[in-house]
């Protein structure tokens, strides 16, 4: 992704021949607002020996003079992963329709000790204090996930640094590594080369072994090209995730147009491949998210839908101070509930929190629990979305609080797909994680509902869950929204605003 001459661009892996993986080329779409998109002709095809088996993940770098260079992984005729250089045929074309591959590609091949299939996904380059450009590339040595580091001045010749940007044993192959700065003081994103006081750096890796995106926040040493996590117990691959649902191969870019860092993620399918073939397509991109350092916790990033999503809001409806008794379900009067933006805040009865006794469910885990049907003293409570009127299909998005024997509260943010669909060939996992809640904060959720996709943001985006559900009854006008409280000892008061959402406008670019 990048912003260039007034347009947002997204280049993406695409199989033009089928709704399954294979014959990967680069699709290309442009937008003025990150919401409405125009498809352009394919940007790059798999037509050279060095990318015959696929034009895979790459990254754009905007140079000092405004020119763009693109590095991407190609899979050669022999199936070796190599890095290639490409650039616009016409740098004055704001649509960047035509691309030229450097005639002497590849510019990088796997170094000694790195397997031919373990060398991929170059990052956007950033400037070093010496004025060189630096990139990192994902790999592994045995079961240790690593990020290799290279310096270059011309994107053709590269010097491999002795050390690694970072490595974490037991995490396996690191795909789609991302590296970027975040401000500890400002509320805006930072250009990729920014470093210095008040700046932390994020390393993110997509783990090929479990297909999730992990990140950690730490300190970058420009001199030797290494990075150290602030908290080794939540290091890359063993700690925090961008998203606890179906979300992978994410990539950020610095949006110089609005001074923000924007995160893109790929939402795969969770039904069967046969179903994908039948419908003729598979996978979508998430709503783009802004990404910031959470100054309050110091440990998390905050993700939030880009402000442009608000332009799709139609009529809104408010529900104030709705009291949800323990063990109850409250219907919300919404016309059609398949395309919604929901913002909800929950206030807890503080007396009930004090009275609740510490229990063994302090070891609660969303994914191994009984879901929203499992009743505890302090949860679950939240919303049922994409539900039919009889609740035969429903996807609960909820909080579950536990109180340890030491009296300390923990809050979990979960999404239960176990009753999301009557269909038999779909994933029905329960997703979620711990979410930090600081003293004085009410519990808050934002939910974007879009037919088969539910993107949920807990506590301002500290914990995010993307679910892919395939209701058979809770569709179109039959889809409803409910508040629920399945706790045994807790009454909850909810205040909500719910907007109907318009559809994004996505079509081919005219006359191209």
């Amino acid at each position: 992704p990048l912003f260039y001459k007034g347009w947002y661009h997204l280049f993406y892996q695409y199989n033009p021949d089928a709704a399954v993986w294979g014959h990967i080329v680069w699709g290309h779409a442009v937008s003025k607002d990150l919401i409405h998109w125009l498809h352009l002709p394919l940007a790059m095809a798999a037509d050279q020996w060095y990318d015959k088996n696929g034009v895979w993940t790459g990254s754009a770098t905007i140079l000092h003079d405004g020119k763009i260079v693109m590095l991407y992984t190609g899979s050669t005729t022999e199936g070796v992963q190599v890095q290639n250089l490409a650039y616009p045929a016409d740098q004055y074309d704001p649509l960047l329709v035509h691309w030229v591959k450097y005639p002497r590609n590849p510019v990088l091949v796997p170094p000694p000790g790195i397997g031919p299939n373990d060398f991929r996904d170059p990052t956007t380059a950033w400037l070093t204090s010496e004025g060189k450009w630096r990139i990192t590339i994902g790999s592994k040595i045995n079961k240790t996930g690593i990020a290799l580091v290279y310096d270059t001045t011309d994107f053709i010749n590269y010097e491999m640094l002795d050390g690694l940007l970072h490595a974490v044993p037991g995490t396996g192959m690191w795909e789609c590594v991302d590296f970027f700065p975040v401000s500890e003081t400002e509320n805006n994103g930072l250009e990729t080369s920014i470093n210095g006081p008040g700046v932390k750096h994020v390393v993110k890796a997509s783990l090929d072994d479990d297909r999730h995106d992990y990140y950690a926040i730490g300190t970058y040493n420009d001199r030797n090209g290494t990075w150290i996590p602030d908290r080794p117990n939540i290091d890359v691959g063993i700690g925090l995730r961008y998203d606890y649902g179906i979300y992978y191969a994410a990539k950020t870019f610095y949006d110089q147009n609005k001074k923000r860092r924007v995160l893109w993620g790929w939402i795969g399918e969770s039904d069967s491949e046969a179903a994908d073939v039948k419908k003729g397509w598979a996978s979508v991109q998430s709503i783009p998210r802004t990404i910031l350092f959470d100054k309050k916790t110091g440990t998390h990033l905050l993700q939030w839908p880009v402000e442009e999503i608000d332009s799709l809001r139609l009529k809104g409806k408010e529900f104030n101070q709705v009291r949800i008794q323990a063990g109850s379900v409250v219907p919300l009067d919404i016309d059609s509930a398949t395309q919604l933006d929901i913002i909800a805040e929950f206030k807890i009865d503080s007396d009930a929190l004090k009275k609740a006794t510490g229990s063994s469910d302090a070891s609660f885990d969303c994914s191994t629990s009984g879901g929203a049907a499992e009743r505890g003293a302090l949860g679950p409570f939240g919303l049922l979305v994409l539900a039919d009127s009889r609740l035969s299909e429903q996807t609960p998005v909820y909080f579950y609080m536990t109180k340890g024997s030491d009296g300390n509260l923990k809050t979990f943010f979960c999404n239960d797909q176990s009753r999301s669909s009557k269909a038999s060939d779909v994933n029905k996992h329960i997703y979620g994680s711990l979410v930090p809640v600081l003293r004085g904060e009410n519990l808050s959720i934002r939910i974007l509902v879009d037919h088969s996709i539910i993107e949920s943001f807990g506590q301002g985006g500290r914990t995010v869950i993307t679910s892919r559900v395939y209701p058979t009854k809770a569709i179109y006008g039959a889809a409803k929204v409910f508040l629920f409280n399945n706790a045994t000892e807790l009454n909850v008061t909810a205040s909500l605003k719910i907007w109907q959402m318009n559809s994004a406008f996505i079509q081919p670019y005219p006359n191209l």
Side-chain angles (χ1 to χ4, degrees):
L2 76 155
F3 179 81
Y4 187 71
K5 294 189 182 298
W7 289 94
Y8 293 100
H9 291 256
L10 182 69
F11 301 88
Y12 56 93
Q13 291 189 33
Y14 175 59
N15 180 355
D17 301 325
V20 297
W21 197 90
H23 185 218
I24 298 300
V25 300
W26 271 21
H28 182 193
V30 291
S31 172
K32 285 289 187 178
D33 61 4
L34 291 171
I35 302 298
H36 305 287
W37 290 86
L38 297 165
H39 284 291
L40 292 172
L42 298 180
M44 285 195 278
D47 56 8
Q48 302 295 324
W49 72 266
Y50 51 78
D51 60 14
K52 196 70 175 173
N53 278 310
V55 180
W56 291 354
T57 296
S59 294
T61 300
I62 299 176
L63 305 180
H64 310 291
D65 57 6
K67 292 179 182 174
I68 297 167
V69 293
M70 196 80 79
L71 291 173
Y72 73 93
T73 298
S75 179
T76 71
T77 49
E78 305 296 316
V80 177
Q81 293 168 14
V82 298
Q83 313 314 318
N84 303 304
L85 172 63
Y87 36 85
D90 177 7
Q91 71 182 55
Y92 299 104
D93 172 18
L95 296 179
L96 299 173
V97 174
H98 300 292
W99 288 79
V100 175
K101 297 175 184 178
Y102 176 60
R104 291 192 287 280
N105 276 334
V107 294
L108 276 171
V109 300
I114 297 298
N117 297 314
D118 303 328
F119 184 64
R120 56 186 176 271
D121 311 338
T123 60
T124 295
W126 66 94
L127 280 168
T128 69
S129 55
E130 294 181 328
K132 296 178 180 177
W133 291 100
R134 181 168 287 169
I135 62 167
T136 184
I137 296 173
S139 187
K140 68 173 180 178
I141 297 174
N142 298 320
K143 288 296 288 180
T144 297
I146 65 172
L148 302 161
V149 184
Y150 292 87
D151 283 355
T152 183
T153 56
D154 57 9
F155 290 88
I156 295 167
N157 302 289
Y158 293 81
E159 171 197 357
M160 184 177 172
L161 272 62
D162 289 339
L164 300 168
L165 181 72
H166 195 52
V168 180
T171 54
M173 177 68 198
W174 282 14
E175 297 192 298
C176 303
V177 173
D178 202 7
F179 176 78
F180 57 91
V182 288
S183 174
E184 293 181 284
T185 56
E186 306 292 322
N187 287 323
N188 53 271
L190 298 178
E191 194 276 324
T192 310
S193 298
I194 295 293
N195 197 4
V199 174
K200 290 283 183 185
H201 278 78
V202 175
V203 171
K204 166 258 164 184
S206 300
L207 297 198
D208 196 23
D209 286 2
D210 73 5
R211 312 299 283 178
H212 295 307
D213 281 13
Y214 293 83
Y215 75 88
I217 300 165
T219 302
Y220 165 61
N221 184 328
D222 168 81
R223 188 178 51 79
N224 62 11
T226 61
W227 172 93
I228 298 169
D230 285 349
R231 292 169 176 79
N233 61 314
I234 50 172
D235 204 344
V236 183
I238 59 171
L240 302 174
R241 282 166 44 184
Y242 273 165
D243 193 297
Y244 289 85
I246 298 178
Y247 188 89
Y248 192 66
K251 167 76 182 167
T252 67
F253 76 104
Y254 177 67
D255 173 11
Q256 67 273 35
N257 181 41
K258 290 201 170 181
K259 306 289 188 287
R260 59 186 173 178
R261 183 157 290 273
V262 176
L263 173 68
W264 274 103
W266 168 52
I267 304 173
E269 304 293 312
S270 64
D271 58 356
S272 65
E273 192 170 280
D276 295 342
V277 171
K278 186 176 179 182
K279 68 178 180 268
W281 62 273
S283 307
V284 294
Q285 290 289 338
S286 67
I287 297 296
R289 305 169 183 174
T290 55
I291 194 164
L292 290 169
F293 178 71
D294 182 1
K295 297 195 285 279
K296 290 181 179 175
T297 63
T299 53
H300 285 60
L301 295 173
L302 297 174
Q303 301 170 62
W304 201 247
V306 291
E307 61 186 8
E308 289 89 340
I309 193 70
D310 298 0
S311 69
L312 295 180
R313 288 174 174 171
L314 300 171
K315 62 181 180 181
K317 199 162 185 179
E318 289 193 45
F319 303 86
N320 289 313
Q321 305 295 311
V322 182
R323 191 163 172 79
I324 325 164
Q325 301 280 90
S328 67
V329 176
V330 179
L332 296 174
D333 182 18
I334 297 293
D335 292 343
S336 174
T338 52
Q339 293 183 188
L340 298 177
D341 187 354
I342 303 170
I343 292 179
E345 188 170 87
F346 298 89
K347 289 185 179 174
I348 312 301
D349 183 340
S350 56
D351 288 340
L353 286 181
K354 288 173 188 166
K355 288 176 189 169
T357 54
S359 66
S360 59
D361 72 356
S363 60
F364 177 84
D365 181 291
C366 294
S367 60
T368 56
S369 72
E374 180 174 296
R375 304 192 68 182
L378 305 177
F381 57 88
L383 288 121
L384 308 176
V385 297
L386 294 178
D388 67 335
S389 56
R390 301 177 66 181
L391 299 182
S392 66
E393 288 183 334
Q394 54 173 284
T395 303
V397 181
Y398 58 96
F399 292 105
Y400 193 107
M401 301 171 70
T402 65
K403 190 174 187 180
S405 51
D406 56 4
N408 289 331
L409 289 167
K410 286 183 177 178
T411 305
F412 297 84
F413 183 48
C414 313
N415 193 318
D416 178 1
Q417 298 184 146
S418 60
R419 290 163 290 164
S420 62
S421 175
K422 292 285 189 183
S424 59
D425 65 340
V426 303
N427 171 323
K428 295 182 179 175
H429 292 165
I430 301 161
Y431 295 129
S433 182
L434 192 69
V435 59
V437 180
L438 305 184
R439 186 181 296 276
E441 290 183 341
N442 287 327
L443 299 177
S444 65
I445 302 178
R446 184 173 181 186
I447 306 173
L448 298 177
V449 178
D450 189 12
H451 293 276
S452 68
I453 302 159
I454 303 164
E455 294 186 68
S456 306
F457 302 80
Q459 292 307 100
R462 282 180 194 143
T463 300
V464 186
I465 308 168
T466 298
S467 277
R468 201 69 209 279
V469 299
Y470 305 87
T472 61
K473 297 180 180 298
I475 57 175
Y476 303 111
K480 310 289 182 190
V481 182
F482 299 84
L483 286 165
F484 83 99
N485 177 7
N486 220 8
T488 58
E489 299 179 22
L490 194 68
N491 295 326
V492 179
T493 302
S495 293
L496 309 89
K497 186 149 190 189
I498 303 178
W499 291 266
Q500 304 279 339
M501 296 293 274
N502 207 345
S503 293
F505 184 73
I506 300 172
Q507 67 171 40
Y509 196 95
N511 306 319
L512 267 184

